[in-house]
Amino acid sequence: MDNSNEITHDFSPFFKVYKDGRIERSLVLEDLPAGLDPETGVLSKDVVISPDSGVKARIFIPEIVGSDQKLPLLVHYHGGGFCVGSAFHILTKNVLTPIVSRGNVIAISIDYRLAPEHLLPIAYNDSWDGLEWIAGHSNGLGPEPWLNNHVDFGKVFLTGESAGANIAHYLAVQVGANGWAGLKLAGVILVHPFFGYKDVDEMHKYLCPTSSGGDDDPRLNPAVDPNLSKMGCQKALVCVAEKDFLRDRGEAYYKTLATSGWPGKVEFYETKGEDHCFNAFKQCGETDALNKKVVDFMTME
């Protein structure tokens, strides 16, 4: 009897796993080509981070940049539960182009490899590799001219939404705990961050076999991370949405960081009446308040 179509793991709406090893994804979006966004005047291009792993990134830059102008850099990690999403599709464009245009900043989204084909912690490792690749431009001799010529490496921010916010937080802690040369992290911006649930997260256990899926995992619960107070930046912005199922975990993270002994400054910002990652799915005008908060956080001393 052929039972290859038997489902062994059903993690809808993300993916299903069949007995024969096939993975069926429910959330698939087509990638958009890089180029000029006519609505915002933002230019984008794709770059290769690692030929060996195949990890790439997309850079977003304001259309008009002076030859000697140095701008803050926003390093972005997309959401999607570590198993869906891309630096190249419309949701990432929706998140980043309004900020780049409004704030006159540069953004780069790292397209880390997805689980379950690439089990965690590969997403974290790829994201770290992307940060190292970026830092390799701090002397003006990296492979990408946009970064060499236009980035102020004293004003680098990490950001992400949902699982991407989790990655941004984790990397900021690693920068502080392990030391870093080449660039200075000015801050982190966590939008609707994913830090697990009250109960064990079975999907996360599947995506990361070394994790319990519970609150004893410091990646899911920063409160148990002994390096939390070493987070390697000066300030943090934690953004939540009132109707988001992850809202309370985001607020708990804010309170934990504020009392952790970390010497930086942490801000809390809540969008009323909105749900998880609304900024990726709505038009620019409907996300103006959140975008303004992010830009102000990046550009104000």
Side-chain angles (χ1 to χ4, degrees):
M1 179 179 179
D2 182 9
N3 58 2
S4 61
N5 287 325
E6 178 183 342
I7 296 173
T8 59
H9 297 85
D10 188 345
F11 295 119
S12 298
F14 293 100
F15 64 93
K16 298 176 183 178
V17 182
Y18 290 87
K19 193 168 185 177
D20 63 1
R22 287 181 296 118
I23 296 169
E24 179 183 304
R25 295 181 175 276
S26 305
L27 301 174
V28 179
L29 290 174
E30 294 294 326
D31 288 344
L32 299 175
L36 173 66
D37 176 41
E39 294 183 8
T40 61
V42 171
L43 290 167
S44 62
K45 69 157 66 171
D46 298 338
V47 294
V48 176
I49 298 293
S50 170
D52 293 334
S53 67
V55 172
K56 299 178 182 179
R58 177 163 290 182
I59 306 175
F60 300 81
I61 192 169
E63 185 177 13
I64 301 175
V65 181
S67 59
D68 298 324
Q69 193 173 10
K70 300 289 187 179
L71 305 178
L73 177 66
L74 187 63
V75 183
H76 172 261
Y77 304 99
H78 67 78
F82 304 102
C83 58
V84 298
S86 164
F88 310 120
H89 63 45
I90 192 169
L91 300 185
T92 297
K93 172 184 175 291
N94 289 348
V95 168
L96 293 180
T97 52
I99 295 172
V100 170
S101 175
R102 178 178 216 150
N104 200 34
V105 302
I106 296 172
I108 178 169
S109 185
I110 308 299
D111 197 53
Y112 56 85
R113 287 173 288 177
L114 300 177
E117 292 89 348
H118 304 282
L119 294 171
L120 295 173
I122 285 179
Y124 294 98
N125 297 340
D126 288 347
S127 299
W128 179 265
D129 290 345
L131 198 57
E132 287 193 319
W133 183 84
I134 292 166
H137 294 76
S138 61
N139 60 1
L141 300 176
E144 174 45 53
W146 280 7
L147 301 185
N148 290 331
N149 298 334
H150 298 303
V151 168
D152 180 349
F153 284 96
K155 295 180 180 178
V156 177
F157 295 81
L158 303 185
T159 191
E161 62 280 352
S162 197
N166 178 292
I167 292 173
H169 155 80
Y170 180 77
L171 296 190
V173 171
Q174 299 312 303
V175 166
N178 297 305
W180 189 262
L183 58 80
K184 180 180 180 181
L185 285 187
V188 292
I189 303 165
L190 309 185
V191 180
H192 312 158
F194 167 73
F195 287 117
Y197 308 103
K198 180 179 179 181
D199 301 319
V200 171
D201 183 347
E202 294 296 335
M203 188 175 87
H204 193 83
K205 282 178 63 177
Y206 182 82
L207 299 181
C208 184
T210 59
S211 174
S212 68
D215 274 349
D216 61 338
D217 183 341
R219 289 192 179 110
L220 296 179
N221 179 23
V224 301
D225 187 345
N227 290 320
L228 179 61
S229 64
K230 301 176 183 178
M231 192 162 74
C233 57
Q234 304 165 352
K235 58 182 182 177
L237 174 63
V238 182
C239 302
V240 301
E242 181 184 23
K243 296 182 179 181
D244 186 359
F245 68 109
L246 295 177
R247 182 217 173 276
D248 292 346
R249 294 288 281 198
E251 184 177 21
Y253 167 83
Y254 157 73
K255 292 177 178 178
T256 295
L257 184 59
T259 59
S260 67
W262 174 61
K265 178 182 178 182
V266 57
E267 296 182 41
F268 183 77
Y269 178 80
E270 180 172 11
T271 304
K272 298 295 185 180
E274 293 291 0
D275 212 330
H276 188 63
C277 293
F278 73 92
N279 56 317
F281 295 93
K282 292 196 172 185
Q283 298 297 317
C284 281
E286 299 174 281
T287 63
D288 277 352
L290 177 59
N291 294 335
K292 182 179 184 301
K293 182 65 180 179
V294 171
V295 168
D296 288 347
F297 180 81
M298 291 184 66
T299 55
M300 294 178 66
E301 298 296 336

